[in-house]
Amino acid sequence: MRALAAILVVTLGAGAARAGEPDYFKNANDGSAIKLRREKSRTPAQKLAIGGLLLGAAISIGVGVYYNLDSREAANEVSANDDLTGETWTPALQDTYDRAGDSGTIAMVGYALGAMFLGGAIFAAWQTQPGEEQVTIVLAPRRAGATVTPMVGGAMVNGAWSW
Amino acid sequence: MVRRVAIAGALLLAACEPDIGSGVYYCGPERGCPPDLRCDDATSICVFLDQAQPFDCGLGANDYEPDDVPGEAGEVDATAGCGAITINEAGCVDELDDVDHLAFVTPVSCDGALEVVVRYSVAFTPLALELLDDGGDVIATGTLCDDLDEFGEARLCASAEVQPDQRVMIRVAAEDGGLDCHGTCGFNRYRLSIF
């Protein structure tokens, strides 16, 4: 009797102490369904938009890298700082010099566009976050039943039920 | 690993601005030089602006002046040509109207083949070369045998069949219609070789 009273006191006291805390068992499964939370999916149009922006970023940056390398190659062809090279500054060398500058400009434009596309893709991904949704899975009801297993000298009877 | 890739990428994409120092290139046609450099007319080499000097014919290049007409041709103090003795002379066309005449006598052992080569900087006005006989008639006209060598120069070559002990004249002048930097580089130094 005293043990039962002590259990009741502890249980009620613990309950009172948790009065201000969230009740995690509020939405406890009632045995007939399971409730889950999962992330929703973006719409096809949103996915297409984000994918297009990422593709644009990849192409722009790729173009930037290509012309950056071309500019570097042209610059290396005409750069000289030590002794007399034995070469004459011909119109062909001037064209190479100009190519270094022009390709460098195109590279910078490509990088800038790539950064814009990438920023746009990140912004679009952030703005189109679909959030979560609650999903309820209904369980098949349990039924009580008995099974009979024949044995030597008789049979074994088993029963199953839910409560 | 990521840091190494980033550094490698930065190095790969770096150095796109040409870096050209002073004194590394010969002047191109019409004083052509890289941006921020100027043609030093005294040496035909591209240098910084404050190092550029005015045109100078050089020591001894105008010793035979005046020699604008065949009758006033400078005389070479030795027989030359026909493979016997090679004579080298420095000359200068100091303006578009300037004409240089140089006379010499072929050796008595001359085998008949005379060759004359004139080398000049491509930075200034191109030159023309002619071989004349003693009467002033043209016996050969120089043609461009090398439009650009490793010294920023072009070469004119002229050859002619001559007689032993024959007086031959060489005429060097600015090429008709040649580029002259819109009138600001109508001059040139040259080196003449008689083979």
Side-chain angles (χ1 to χ4, degrees), chain A residues 59-112:
Chain A
I59 292 174
S60 297
I61 292 173
V63 169
V65 170
Y66 174 82
Y67 279 99
N68 200 153
L69 292 175
D70 184 60
S71 174
R72 181 171 176 269
E73 179 188 348
N76 288 341
E77 280 184 39
V78 299
S79 293
N81 250 311
D82 298 322
D83 301 325
L84 196 60
T85 59
E87 291 193 49
T88 302
W89 191 254
T90 59
L93 281 180
Q94 182 64 51
D95 289 343
T96 302
Y97 184 98
D98 294 339
R99 187 181 113 222
D102 294 342
S103 293
T105 300
I106 295 174
M108 291 299 107
V109 171
Y111 290 148

